[in-house]
Amino acid sequence: GALRNLASEAAHQARMLEQEPEQADTSALALILAAMRAHPHSARVQEHACGCLRNLAEQAEQGGAVLAEAGGVRAVLAALEGHAWDARVQEEACGALRHLAFNRRARELMVREGAVGRVVAAMEQHPWQEGVQLEALGALRIVALEAGGVVAEEGGLNGILLAMAEHVASAAVQEEGCGALRNLSAGEEAMRRAIEAAQGVGAVLVAMKGHAWHAGVQEEACAALRNLAMEPEGLRRVARKGAALVVRTALKGHPEHAG
């Protein structure tokens, strides 16, 4: 009855803001967060509100910091946890975290609040939903730049490789996956060894072979291989997988691509 009508109206308001993000301001942010708090059990309210937060974080200057300080990170995490089996909520929530993560303060809060574990859980619960995997990979990719250890501890490395294996035909997933491996492998040698032990080199080469004409995939994959070959032993491990021939093919196929 009345509660359903209120929930529908809140979802409608959030949808309108999502479609017209240029009209969003701090009062809109307050409305969105209030709707999420008032209707925690409505999947559609949470879905559209997360979509709106995603757009605000993406388009507003310093949007990630403003959203984090206003409680946006916690609101998105609550949506992820409260609607774990709703793929649409999971996709929009992971997308919101992905764009929030571009801001350092928001990214640090995400790590402290356990966002990495929630993103990995979303990947595990919706392995065949390409949209969920793509947004989750994007979030892990950014966080991995400064918190690669947390990503690995929370099962992120396994999640990345499973996503790449399940969506081998998706250039977008392969590009994000290779990008995430690139950022993970930019840290300590132990992480590079862990990636190699988990067959990460093979996953990167499969992506390159399967998407030979996709410049984005080739660029991220080559960068990941470069990192994995940073130490002499790493170089030998990568070479044993036949990476040299695949990289040469990529260079020939994209002579005009600076990346």
Side-chain angles (χ1 to χ4, degrees):
L3 182 59
R4 179 175 296 180
N5 290 337
L6 286 172
S8 297
E9 177 59 22
H12 174 71
Q13 291 169 339
R15 232 179 359 254
M16 291 302 99
L17 288 168
E18 185 178 353
Q19 293 167 1
E20 301 178 12
E22 69 279 0
Q23 296 181 9
D25 55 19
T26 55
S27 61
L29 173 57
L31 169 66
I32 296 162
L33 295 177
M36 295 178 79
R37 289 191 296 270
H39 307 288
H41 303 300
S42 171
R44 300 291 71 82
V45 169
Q46 300 300 315
E47 174 196 348
H48 294 297
C50 285
C52 187
L53 293 178
R54 168 184 177 166
N55 285 345
L56 287 174
E58 180 181 10
Q59 299 190 26
E61 186 176 355
Q62 294 300 314
V66 173
L67 288 170
E69 291 169 2
V73 170
R74 292 187 179 93
V76 173
L77 293 179
L80 276 171
E81 184 172 359
H83 300 275
W85 295 105
D86 190 301
R88 289 158 61 181
V89 174
Q90 299 296 298
E91 180 176 345
E92 292 294 350
C94 287
L97 292 175
R98 175 184 189 173
H99 289 287
L100 281 164
F102 281 105
N103 179 269
R104 179 183 293 274
R105 278 185 287 175
R107 187 166 61 246
E108 291 172 348
L109 180 60
M110 285 169 55
V111 173
R112 289 199 304 272
E113 294 289 333
V116 173
R118 279 304 326 158
V119 168
V120 173
M123 298 175 78
E124 293 174 347
Q125 289 159 349
H126 302 278
W128 299 289
Q129 293 290 334
E130 182 178 341
V132 174
Q133 300 298 314
L134 184 61
E135 299 297 349
L137 285 169
L140 294 180
R141 175 181 182 174
I142 300 167
V143 173
L145 277 170
E146 297 176 352
V150 176
V151 172
E153 289 169 8
E154 295 289 347
L157 173 56
N158 186 54
I160 292 164
L161 296 175
L162 283 176
M164 294 176 72
E166 291 288 352
H167 300 274
V168 69
S170 170
V173 168
Q174 298 303 310
E175 181 178 358
E176 288 293 343
C178 287
L181 293 175
R182 171 187 184 174
N183 290 348
L184 275 177
S185 60
E188 299 178 356
E189 181 182 359
M191 181 65 71
R192 289 188 282 278
R193 287 182 176 275
I195 293 171
E196 195 278 335
Q199 306 302 315
V201 174
V204 171
L205 295 178
V206 167
M208 294 183 74
K209 293 173 184 177
H211 301 277
W213 299 106
H214 193 285
V217 172
Q218 300 300 309
E219 179 177 352
E220 295 297 339
C222 285
L225 291 175
R226 181 184 63 227
N227 289 344
L228 290 166
M230 200 174 294
E231 292 83 24
E233 180 56 33
L235 178 59
R236 285 191 287 271
R237 289 195 299 266
V238 170
R240 285 197 293 268
K241 298 286 186 179
L245 177 59
V246 181
V247 171
R248 283 198 297 270
T249 301
L251 293 174
K252 289 180 181 178
H254 302 274
E256 76 294 343
H257 193 71

